[in-house]
Amino acid sequence: MLRSLSTAALEHAQTRGGFTRSSSGDLSLSEEDDEDLEEERDPEKLSLCFRLGLFIGYIIPTWGHLSLANVGRSWAAGAFALWHCFLFLNSTILIFINCCSAILRCYIQWFSEMHDGYNPFSSKDREAEGHLGQGSWHVITHFFGAFFRSYILMSVTGDVMRFTYLLCVDAWRPDAFEAYRRLWVGDAWKELAIGQLYIQSWSVCLNKCQKAMDIIVQVFLYVSLDLVPILLFILVYDTPMHGSVVCEVCMAIGCFHIFCFYFLFIFGEAWLKISRFRWAWRAAKDRVTFARSGSSGIHIETETVWMTGDGTQFLSMEAEARSLCVLCCTIFHWLEYLLPVALALVTCVLGLVLDRYYLTEVGAVAASMLFFVMLGTHEALDHVANQQKCTPLWIRHMFRQPEILQRWGERWCRLGFSVQKRQRYPFAVSLGFTALVFGGFKLMMLTYSCMGLMLFLCLRLLWMRVEGAGGWFWAFLESFIEFILLNVLIITTTRNAMRDGAVVLLLCVMRQFGYQREINSGERVRLASMIVLGSVQVLLLTLVCFALDSASDDKWSQFGPYMGSKAWYNISSLTPVQEELADTLPMCLVRFPRGMPHSAKLDFNHSLSLAALSCLRLRLETPQTAQDFGLMASLTYEPQNRVAEGCAHYFPEWHMEPRPPSVLDEDWVRFVMFTSDTNSTTVIAVRGTLTALDVLHDVTLWLVPAVLQLFNYIGPDVADGSWGISMSRLSQLIPLAPIRKQTTYDSVFLAVEYMLEHYPNRLYYLTGHSLGGGIAKLVELQLKTRIKPLTVAFAAPGVEHAARVLFPSGISELGNELATLTVEPNNDVISKIDVQIGNTLNAPCDGRALTCHSIYRTLWGIFQKCGSMTRRELRIPCGWSPEAPC
C-alpha cells in the first residue's frame, strides 16, 4: 500500500505539482535542471524514508509535494488569506472613519468661527462689515483653510485605500505578499519605474542579504498577522483582558503593514525620480545620454533617461469589441466629461424657473468658463506651433537640451497636458459642487471665490499649451507658491497652528506635493474612495450652511399662534376594565414612585408613569411629585416664551427653574429645568432635533456610529462587538482641526453638576427626545457622582460607540454604569443608530419612520393604549395624530 500511494504521489507531483521556468519565471527548477534527479524519481529505486515522505505529502490537503502551486490551491492558504483580508478590511474601515471624522472637525471648526463671530447669513453682520469687508475675508480664508485640509486628506486616504486593496490582492497570490516583500528587499525597481505591480517575478540575482531579508520579512509577516492575534485571543479567553484590546492590536498591525506598503512604494518612487532628475539635468546640459543596467533590474533606454512602459494591454481586439464594460465605461466617460457643463446649465435654468437671480448668475458664469476651457483644451490643439516661445530665457541659456527635463517631468511628475487634466478634474469638480452649494445659500462672495479658483485651474491648463520645454520649471514654481500659501492659510485659520501645519506637511509629502505619478494598479479603488469621500464633504458642507442659515430658533408651537387657538382632545383615565387590560402591556406597567413632601414614605397611588417625567434614582428620604415624562420633553420644542404657558397647562404645580450661572451661553444645546412647587424634584429636559443646527449636532456626535453601521450593509458586521468598540475608540487618531465635542453639551452637564452641588436634597431627573435623549444619556454617563439622576429617553440613539468617541479612555463597562429606559417607537430609525445600553421598551406606532420618530405621535400611541395614566383628565392640542385632526 505504501509503495502504491508513494508512486501515485510522485506521478501527481510530476504532472501537476511542479513549477517550470516557462510557467512562472524563476520560482523553481525546470525539467532541464532536473535531469540529474531523474534516477532518484524512479519508483523502483525509492528508499523507505522517501516513500514515507511521499505518502505523508500525498495524504495532506495539498495532494502532492509542497510547491507554490499546491500551496496556492490548499484550503489552509485560503483560510490565511481570508483572515488577512478581513484584518486589512477592518483597518481600512478604521482609516476611512478617521478621515470622515477629521473632515467633520474641519468644517465644525469653520462653523464655530462663523457662528461665534461674523455670520455671512446675518444681514446685520453684512451691513456692518460691508460687501467685501474684513468679515467677508475672514469667512473666505477660514473656509478655504478647512476645504484644503479636507481635500488633501481625502487624496491621501484614497491612495491608502488603493494600497490596502493591492495588499489584499497580494495576500491571495500563491507566493503570498510577493510584491510587498520585493519592495522590502529592493527587488521591485521595474515595477516602481513603470508604476504597475506584478509585471515581473523574483530576480535570479538576489544576493545573500536580500535572501536573508526576505526570510526575516516573511517571519515578521506571519508572526504579526497570525501568531500574535492567536496568542492574544487565547489570553483574552483565559484572562479578564477585554476583547477590544485584541482588536485594537490587530488593527494597529494591519494599519502598520498598509502604511508600510504605501511608504515603501513612495520612497522607492521618490528615489527613482530624484536619480532620473540628476541624469536628466546632466543630459540637458551636456548633450549626454546615459544607459545603465545592473543587478537592480532597471533597464534604461539609450535614447532617453527615463523608463517607459505601456502596462497591461489587450492583445485581442475582438475581445475588446464584444466587451460591454468598454461600452458602459465609454458612456460614463462622456457623462463625466459633460457633467460640469450640464450641472452649470441646470443651475442656470433652475435660477430662471425659480426666479433666483443668483443661481442664474452662478450657472451662466460657470457654463461660460467651462465651455471656454473645453475649447481651449480640445485634442485638436495638441500640436501648437512654436512650443519654445514661453520657455524662460535662462533655461535656454543654461541647458542645451531643455526638452529632456520637460520629458522627465512628463514621465515622472505627471506634467503632461492630458495627465494634468485628469489630475485636476476631481479638485475642479469639488470646487464646482462647493460653489453650487454656496450659490444656493446666496453666499456670493464664497461662490465667486470658488469660481475664481476654478478659473485659475483653467488658465493653468491653457498655459500648459504654450509653456514649451519650461513646463517642469513652471510646475515647480507653482508647487512652491501653493505650498507657501497653503501653510500660511492653515496657520492663520486654525486653533492649533503647529499641529495642523505638521499634519498638512506630512500629507503633502505623502502626495509628493501633488506631483506623484499615475499608478495603474488599484486606480479604480482610489477613484471610488475619492467619490465617496467627496460626497461626504459636500454633504457636511451643505449641512453646515443649513445650520448657519437657520441659527435662530423656530417659532413653531404645538399650541398654535397663541394658547387655545387649536382644537383640544381629552385623554381620560382608563376605566377599571380598561386598566385590567392595560396592565398586561409592559409600557403601561412602568411606574416610578413619587416622593411625598415631609414624608419618607413613597406614594405608589400617585406614582410616576412612563408618559411622565424622566426616571429617578430612588431616594426614600426625598419627597416626589408626579408628572408626565414625554410631555415635559415635548415642551422643550416650544418657543422660549411659550414654555411657561405649556408648563402651566400640563403641570400647574410646577414652575421653570432659572438657568445656573455656570451654563455656557454659546452651547448648541437647549434645555429646560422644571421644578415642583415644593422644591423637592427637578427635571432637566433636553430639546431634540428641531433646526439644521440640531442636525449638525446629531452628525457631530453620531457620525462614527452611523458609518460603522453603514458598513454592516456593504461589508463585515463591525458595528457590534469588540471590533466596533475598538474602531469607535480609535476614531480620532488624525490630529487635524482638533475640537472638543464635549462642548456641544457641556451646558447640560454643568447645569446638572451645579444643581447636584447646590441642592443635594432634591430628586433629579433627565429626559429628552431624539437628540435630547441621547445627550441626556451622555450627561448621565459622564457624571462622576455617587448618585446619578436616571434617564428616560424617547426615540433616542444609542450611546455605546458615541461615548467611546467622546471619551476614548474614560469609559469602561457602559452597561453597568448607565441605567436608563429608552422608549423605541415601532418603525423608528433614529433609535436604531448606535447600540442601546440600559433598558429599552417598545411603543406602538403604525406610521412610517419619520412619522413614528415624532414625540407627539409616540405620546398619542401610549395614551391610546394606557390612557392618561393619572387620576385626572389630560387635554392635548390637535395635530398629534391623524386620529386627532385639526
Side-chain angles (χ1 to χ4, degrees):
M1 180 179 178
L2 180 62
R3 178 185 296 274
S4 61
L5 288 176
S6 62
T7 303
L10 181 61
E11 293 175 354
H12 181 80
Q14 290 175 344
T15 56
R16 297 185 59 186
F19 265 171
T20 63
R21 191 184 304 275
S22 60
S23 63
S24 62
D26 304 311
L27 293 178
S28 65
L29 298 176
S30 64
E31 294 180 2
E32 182 180 357
D33 300 323
D34 291 342
E35 291 179 355
D36 297 336
L37 302 176
E38 201 59 42
E39 286 188 9
E40 298 181 10
R41 293 187 176 184
D42 189 353
E44 300 298 330
K45 299 180 180 180
L46 296 177
S47 63
L48 179 62
C49 293
F50 196 67
R51 286 183 182 277
L52 184 61
L54 285 175
F55 171 71
I56 295 174
Y58 191 68
I59 64 174
I60 63 177
T62 55
W63 289 93
H65 75 285
L66 295 177
S67 65
L68 280 176
N70 291 322
V71 168
R73 288 192 295 265
S74 69
W75 64 268
F80 277 112
L82 187 63
W83 157 249
H84 296 157
C85 290
F86 176 76
L87 179 59
F88 293 141
L89 179 59
N90 285 336
S91 302
T92 306
I93 295 174
L94 177 63
I95 296 171
F96 182 86
I97 288 175
N98 273 273
C99 179
C100 293
S101 181
I103 294 173
L104 174 65
R105 293 197 304 270
C106 290
Y107 284 107
I108 290 295
Q109 195 174 92
W110 177 62
F111 170 81
S112 300
E113 292 290 335
M114 302 304 102
H115 187 258
D116 300 337
Y118 175 80
N119 189 347
F121 292 93
S122 174
S123 58
K124 183 184 298 183
D125 288 348
R126 289 179 180 177
E127 294 174 0
E129 294 289 348
H131 185 62
L132 284 177
Q134 183 180 359
S136 300
W137 290 116
H138 178 78
V139 172
I140 294 173
T141 54
H142 277 77
F143 164 71
F144 279 112
F147 178 81
F148 284 124
R149 280 177 288 179
S150 302
Y151 185 81
I152 294 173
L153 180 61
M154 288 191 304
S155 301
V156 173
T157 304
D159 259 343
V160 172
M161 298 290 180
R162 176 218 300 270
F163 281 90
T164 304
Y165 164 76
L166 295 177
L167 200 57
C168 291
V169 173
D170 214 10
W172 285 97
R173 292 178 62 82
D175 192 11
F177 302 109
E178 179 184 348
Y180 185 30
R181 288 154 47 203
R182 283 204 302 270
L183 285 173
W184 269 108
V185 303
D187 190 47
W189 297 111
K190 186 176 181 180
E191 294 175 318
L192 288 171
I194 295 180
Q196 180 75 35
L197 296 180
Y198 311 122
I199 61 173
Q200 69 172 11
S201 183
W202 287 94
S203 302
V204 296
C205 54
L206 291 178
N207 55 42
K208 293 182 179 180
C209 293
Q210 288 177 313
K211 294 178 182 178
M213 184 66 180
D214 181 41
I215 298 297
I216 295 173
V217 171
Q218 290 185 71
V219 171
F220 175 68
L221 277 169
Y222 289 110
V223 168
S224 61
L225 293 175
D226 302 318
L227 184 59
V228 171
I230 291 175
L231 293 178
L232 286 177
F233 278 114
I234 293 175
L235 290 175
V236 168
Y237 182 78
D238 294 334
T239 61
M241 183 189 302
H242 201 277
S244 61
V245 177
V246 181
C247 296
E248 290 178 10
V249 174
C250 291
M251 286 189 293
I253 294 173
C255 291
F256 170 79
H257 287 294
I258 291 171
F259 282 100
C260 190
F261 190 27
Y262 177 55
F263 280 112
L264 284 173
F265 198 97
I266 287 180
F267 290 157
E269 181 186 349
W271 184 88
L272 287 175
K273 182 182 296 185
I274 295 172
S275 63
R276 294 301 186 274
F277 179 76
R278 293 172 57 192
W279 298 341
W281 182 277
R282 295 172 59 187
K285 294 186 65 174
D286 303 331
R287 297 182 181 272
V288 178
T289 58
F290 296 89
R292 292 187 181 184
S293 61
S295 60
S296 62
I298 306 175
H299 171 70
I300 308 300
E301 296 182 352
T302 55
E303 294 83 2
T304 59
V305 292
W306 49 87
M307 185 67 200
T308 60
D310 298 330
T312 304
Q313 298 291 336
F314 287 102
L315 300 178
S316 175
M317 299 301 295
E318 181 184 355
E320 182 176 337
R322 66 172 181 266
S323 175
L324 293 179
C325 182
V326 174
L327 176 62
C328 296
C329 291
T330 302
I331 296 174
F332 180 79
H333 170 73
W334 279 103
L335 292 176
E336 178 188 22
Y337 184 71
L338 298 175
L339 175 64
V341 179
L343 186 63
L345 293 177
V346 169
T347 303
C348 185
V349 172
L350 285 178
L352 293 175
V353 173
L354 301 176
D355 196 20
R356 304 291 179 88
Y357 71 92
Y358 48 89
L359 288 180
T360 305
E361 187 177 353
V362 171
V365 173
S368 302
M369 183 174 60
L370 292 172
F371 184 72
F372 170 72
V373 173
M374 291 175 64
L375 290 179
T377 59
H378 196 267
E379 294 179 356
L381 300 177
D382 284 344
H383 303 286
V384 179
N386 194 10
Q387 289 289 317
Q388 300 292 332
K389 62 181 181 180
C390 289
T391 303
L393 293 177
W394 68 270
I395 292 181
R396 296 182 186 177
H397 293 308
M398 186 174 182
F399 301 100
R400 298 180 181 180
Q401 298 185 86
E403 65 276 0
I404 294 180
L405 283 171
Q406 178 61 21
R407 289 200 294 270
W408 167 86
E410 293 176 0
R411 171 65 185 89
W412 289 97
C413 298
R414 292 202 298 186
L415 299 184
F417 179 74
S418 59
V419 181
Q420 281 290 305
K421 282 201 302 183
R422 293 195 301 270
Q423 180 187 10
R424 296 172 189 261
Y425 181 80
F427 183 69
V429 170
S430 298
L431 277 177
F433 277 105
T434 302
L436 180 62
V437 170
F438 286 142
F441 286 97
K442 301 182 183 180
L443 292 177
M444 304 312 296
M445 56 180 180
L446 288 170
T447 302
Y448 289 138
S449 300
C450 294
M451 297 181 69
L453 192 55
M454 290 180 62
L455 179 61
F456 169 77
L457 293 178
C458 299
L459 295 177
R460 179 70 180 93
L461 285 176
L462 295 178
W463 174 254
M464 290 181 186
R465 291 290 192 184
V466 295
E467 62 187 6
W472 62 274
F473 168 73
W474 297 114
F476 284 172
L477 182 63
E478 176 194 2
S479 178
F480 177 76
I481 295 176
E482 288 177 354
F483 179 72
I484 296 299
L485 293 177
L486 177 63
N487 278 273
V488 172
L489 191 64
I490 297 300
I491 292 174
T492 56
T493 59
T494 185
R495 298 175 181 177
N496 196 325
M498 296 300 297
R499 181 159 58 178
D500 279 15
V503 172
V504 171
L505 176 60
L506 177 61
L507 295 176
C508 290
V509 170
M510 295 170 69
R511 295 184 67 244
Q512 298 184 38
F513 300 96
Y515 290 104
Q516 70 271 34
R517 291 182 303 138
E518 281 189 311
I519 302 175
N520 296 327
S521 301
E523 179 65 13
R524 287 177 294 180
V525 176
R526 186 191 70 83
L527 290 176
S529 303
M530 284 291 294
I531 291 173
V532 174
L533 291 173
S535 302
V536 171
Q537 183 189 31
V538 173
L539 289 176
L540 291 177
L541 177 63
T542 304
L543 187 58
V544 168
C545 290
F546 267 117
L548 287 172
D549 193 20
S550 59
S552 59
D553 291 339
D554 198 339
K555 300 303 180 183
W556 176 86
S557 172
Q558 61 175 315
F559 300 106
Y562 56 91
M563 291 293 295
S565 61
K566 279 189 173 184
W568 296 86
Y569 286 82
N570 296 328
I571 306 297
S572 304
S573 58
L574 299 181
T575 63
V577 177
Q578 292 174 331
E579 286 184 358
E580 184 177 351
L581 179 61
D583 286 343
T584 61
L585 301 176
M587 60 183 174
C588 301
L589 293 175
V590 177
R591 301 279 175 165
F592 301 95
R594 182 184 82 168
M596 300 299 294
H598 311 294
S599 175
K601 297 182 180 181
L602 297 176
D603 185 2
F604 284 87
N605 293 325
H606 297 75
S607 59
L608 297 175
S609 63
L610 175 64
L613 310 170
S614 172
C615 144
L616 303 179
R617 177 73 64 185
L618 300 182
R619 298 193 300 184
L620 299 179
E621 70 276 6
T622 307
Q624 307 168 27
T625 58
Q627 296 296 333
D628 296 339
F629 294 142
L631 292 176
M632 281 199 173
S634 69
L635 287 178
T636 58
Y637 290 100
E638 295 295 313
Q640 193 70 27
N641 57 351
R642 185 60 61 80
V643 178
E645 297 178 1
C647 180
H649 172 74
Y650 289 130
F651 316 107
E653 298 177 354
W654 289 67
H655 63 274
M656 291 179 58
E657 186 85 15
R659 291 166 64 94
S662 61
V663 171
L664 301 175
D665 294 332
E666 65 273 9
D667 207 337
W668 297 357
V669 181
R670 179 181 169 186
F671 66 94
V672 181
M673 296 193 302
F674 300 98
T675 301
S676 61
D677 288 343
T678 58
N679 291 327
S680 61
T681 306
T682 296
V683 178
I684 301 176
V686 187
R687 192 183 74 177
T689 304
L690 180 62
T691 64
L693 177 60
D694 298 325
V695 178
L696 181 63
H697 196 176
D698 284 318
V699 174
T700 303
L701 295 176
W702 280 279
L703 174 68
V704 172
V707 173
L708 280 174
Q709 289 179 312
L710 184 63
F711 275 105
N712 292 348
Y713 298 97
I714 60 177
D717 188 357
V718 297
D720 300 328
S722 299
W723 291 103
I725 293 174
S726 303
M727 290 182 187
S728 58
R729 187 180 297 169
L730 301 176
S731 61
Q732 309 291 323
L733 295 179
I734 301 178
L736 191 65
I739 59 173
R740 291 185 67 248
K741 289 185 180 179
Q742 293 93 321
T743 57
T744 57
Y745 63 86
D746 267 356
S747 59
V748 184
F749 177 75
L750 294 175
V752 174
E753 277 194 329
Y754 178 87
M755 298 299 292
L756 287 173
E757 180 182 357
H758 290 78
Y759 307 100
N761 294 325
R762 291 187 188 181
L763 289 174
Y764 290 99
Y765 305 74
L766 285 170
T767 189
H769 167 255
S770 185
L771 168 67
I775 291 177
K777 291 189 283 187
L778 289 173
V779 169
E780 180 190 342
L781 184 63
Q782 192 180 3
L783 287 172
K784 303 300 182 182
T785 56
R786 184 177 60 87
I787 298 179
K788 299 181 181 180
L790 300 187
T791 304
V792 166
F794 290 84
V799 295
E800 180 171 348
H801 295 308
R804 288 188 169 90
V805 172
L806 294 170
F807 321 108
S809 59
I811 300 299
S812 55
E813 295 295 332
L814 294 180
N816 297 332
E817 294 189 11
L818 192 62
T820 66
L821 178 63
T822 302
V823 179
E824 296 184 0
N826 296 332
N827 304 325
D828 179 47
V829 177
I830 301 301
S831 56
K832 304 299 182 183
I833 297 176
D834 209 334
V835 180
Q836 297 287 353
I837 53 180
N839 302 312
T840 58
L841 190 64
N842 289 332
C845 184
D846 299 329
R848 297 182 179 179
L850 186 61
T851 304
C852 289
H853 184 63
S854 170
I855 181 64
Y856 309 108
R857 188 66 176 267
T858 302
L859 289 177
W860 178 266
I862 294 176
F863 287 143
Q864 289 298 106
K865 294 291 184 180
C866 306
S868 64
M869 291 188 287
T870 61
R871 298 300 181 184
R872 61 183 177 83
E873 191 176 73
L874 181 67
R875 298 179 69 239
I876 62 173
C878 63
W880 282 23
S881 171
E883 302 174 10
C886 294

